[in-house]
Amino acid sequence: GAAQILLNLTAQSLNAEFLGRVCLSSHGERSLLNQRLARLTPTTISPRLIFWLFKSPLVRAYIDELNSVSLIQHMFTSQVDDFALPLPPAEEHAPLVRSIDTAMARLASLRDAHDGAGNVFAGMEAAILAKAFRGQLVPQDPNDEPASATLERLNAKPPSTDGTDT
């Protein structure tokens, strides 16, 4: 069958915008639904366009206003039915979906790159600190006194009272 929109009608938490969360089934995909999910089957409009509209800030704001006083939030199919989706002219549907899909794919790629970079930077920071403590960050002068000898000498020298310690 055609792709369908699945919409969560109950949220156990006020966090993560769980009420009204949507997903799009694949063509021919079968799913089991319970009584707190809605299944929408667009017939004349691209299911992907409806999916993106339901993820839009406009729909999110509508859903957030439906039930903000209870810890367990509910939404009813009649409330979904009452919302008028802002549909562009039919000739703009396919280009709009392509543009959104492209932008979202790029965003996901950037997010993955950012997450990967964060892991690389964390590893680099640890490596730099390890090298610093092993004295490997800068070339070492073999004529320099070992750090242990310098510390021993500094600990043995009594502190001066005139502030000229160096």
Side-chain angles (χ1 to χ4, degrees):
Q4 299 174 329
I5 307 291
L6 301 173
L7 178 68
N8 183 23
L9 299 173
T10 297
Q12 299 279 341
S13 169
L14 300 175
N15 297 328
E17 300 177 339
F18 195 72
L19 183 67
R21 190 173 286 178
V22 294
C23 68
L24 182 65
S25 71
S26 300
H27 291 287
E29 184 177 12
R30 297 179 64 184
S31 56
L32 296 173
L33 302 176
N34 70 19
Q35 71 272 17
R36 298 308 306 151
L37 290 174
R39 179 178 60 200
L40 309 172
T41 308
T43 55
T44 58
I45 301 168
S46 160
R48 194 130 189 98
L49 177 62
I50 299 298
F51 170 75
W52 287 125
L53 284 168
F54 268 94
K55 290 183 78 67
S56 73
L58 183 67
V59 174
R60 182 79 257 155
Y62 172 74
I63 290 171
D64 288 345
E65 290 177 10
L66 291 177
N67 184 353
S68 60
V69 294
S70 168
L71 181 59
I72 298 178
Q73 297 184 318
H74 297 284
M75 176 167 78
F76 302 97
T77 53
S78 60
Q79 292 170 310
V80 175
D81 193 41
D82 287 344
F83 186 79
L85 287 172
L87 292 173
E91 63 273 8
E92 294 179 19
H93 291 190
L96 181 58
V97 168
R98 278 193 302 276
S99 294
I100 294 171
D101 284 345
T102 300
M104 293 308 237
R106 184 155 190 245
L107 179 63
S109 175
L110 289 170
R111 189 176 293 122
D112 290 346
H114 176 269
D115 292 347
N119 294 336
V120 168
F121 287 132
M124 288 174 66
E125 182 178 285
I128 288 169
L129 288 172
K131 283 183 175 243
F133 285 111
R134 288 193 306 262
Q136 297 175 333
L137 271 186
V138 294
Q140 300 298 308
D141 184 347
N143 298 322
D144 280 347
E145 165 179 68
S148 58
T150 304
L151 287 172
E152 195 173 299
R153 184 174 40 81
L154 290 174
N155 286 332
K157 180 180 175 183
S160 69
T161 56
D162 62 0
T164 59
D165 279 348
T166 52

